[in-house]
């Protein structure tokens, strides 16, 4: 049974809040390093 009314609104608000928080997070250093390595490999081709 799908959520409706106030429960649906609360779910929507929580999902938006989590999504917005994720957008504010920095990319971890290890991912930056991996991206740099991939760019270097691509430029060597």
């Amino acid at each position: 049974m799908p959520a409706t009314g106030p429960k649906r609104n609360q779910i929507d608000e929580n999902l938006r809040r989590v999504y917005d928080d994720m957008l504010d997070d920095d990319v971890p250093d290890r991912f930056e390093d991996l991206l740099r390595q991939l760019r270097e490999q691509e430029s060597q081709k």
Side-chain angles (χ1 to χ4, degrees):
M1 183 167 137
T4 59
K7 190 180 285 188
R8 172 65 184 236
N9 291 341
Q10 184 178 10
I11 292 170
D12 289 347
E13 288 173 21
N14 287 336
L15 288 172
R16 278 192 201 95
R17 188 176 307 120
V18 169
Y19 181 77
D20 288 343
D21 287 347
M22 287 178 55
L23 290 178
D24 291 337
D25 287 348
D26 290 335
V27 175
D29 289 341
R30 63 183 176 185
F31 290 133
E32 292 281 349
D33 291 340
L34 287 171
L35 289 171
R36 181 184 47 75
Q37 290 173 13
L38 288 171
R39 286 185 195 112
E40 289 174 0
Q41 287 179 359
E42 285 296 315
S43 68
Q44 294 175 359
K45 289 184 177 179

